[in-house]
Amino acid sequence: MRYACNFTISKALKFGVVAAQGSLKSSLNLKLPFKPSRNIHMENKENSSSRGALIVLEGLDRCGKTSQSSRLYKYLDEQGYSVESWRFPDRNTGVGQMISSYLANQAHLDDHAIHLLFSANRWEKRMLMEEKLRSGTTLVVDRYSYSGVAFSSAKGLDTEWCKAPEIGLLAPDLVVYLDISPEKAAERGGYGGERYEQLEFQKKVANSYLTLHDSSWKVIDATLPVEDIEEKLREIVLDSMTICQKGKPLSQLWPS
C-alpha cells in the first residue's frame, strides 16, 4: 500500500514538472503584442572593461555650454543610452553653496582660497564619477578642471600651482571647447550677471584656455547656428562613447 502511494506521488510530481516545462516553453514562444518604445543601448557584457564616457564642455561665459550640454543629454537619453548631466561647480553641496555666494558677489575670498574650493567641489564628486563611468553611464559635464585653471590663472595665479590640486581627478575622454571671441560672448543675453562676466577678464581667460589644449580637445565654432553645433557635437561624442565601450581605460588628469 505504501509502495502504491509513493508511486502515485512520484507520477504526480513528474507530471507536474513536465507540465510546468511545457507552460514555460509556451510562454517563451509568445510574441509581444507591442514593440518597445525605444532601443536601449546596453553595456557590452563580453567586455568587462566597457564603460561610459566622460564628456566635458568648456568655454568662455555665454559660449553656449549649458544649452548644448542640455541638448546633448536629452538626445542621448532619448536614444536609450545611460547618461547623466553634471555641472561644476555643483552648487548643491556645502562647498558648492560657498562658491555660489562668491560668484553672486555675496562673499569675498582670497583668489587662492576660492580656487581650492572649486577644486574641492570636484573632489567631492570624484568617487561617484568613477562609479558611474564604470557602471556604463556616460557623463555630460558642463565645466571641469580646465575652467578652474583657466579662470584662476587669468587672475595671475601660477598655472602649475592651479593644476596641482586637480591632479588625480579623472581625465575626460573628450573635451569640447565652444570657441567664441570674448566680444561676441559679451553681446549675448544675461552677460554680466556673475563675478567673472567682465569683458577684459574674459579675454585673459581665453588666453589661459589656449595653454590647456591637449589631444582630448575638439574645438567647435560657437557662433554657428545652434542646430549645427548640436550636430557636430553629437558626432564627436558618439565616437568617443564607442571607444570607451570597447574598453578604453580610465586615466587621471595631468600625471607627473
Side-chain angles (χ1 to χ4, degrees), residues 4-60:
C5 181
N6 288 340
F7 178 74
T8 301
I9 293 172
S10 177
K11 286 180 66 177
L13 289 172
K14 183 176 181 180
F15 176 78
V17 170
V18 172
Q21 289 175 337
S23 176
L24 177 60
K25 183 177 181 180
S26 176
S27 298
L28 292 174
N29 288 332
L30 288 176
K31 293 184 177 180
L32 290 173
F34 59 88
K35 292 183 179 180
S37 61
R38 60 177 182 168
N39 180 29
I40 303 297
H41 296 258
M42 300 298 290
E43 179 183 351
N44 181 4
K45 298 301 181 182
E46 296 180 358
N47 184 356
S48 61
S49 59
S50 177
R51 63 173 178 83
L54 178 53
I55 309 297
V56 171
L57 275 71
E58 288 282 5
L60 300 179

Side-chain angles (χ1 to χ4, degrees), residues 182-197:
E183 291 81 6
K184 285 287 185 183
E187 295 172 2
R188 295 187 169 183
Y191 192 88
E194 287 198 330
R195 182 183 292 266
Y196 294 140
E197 291 180 349

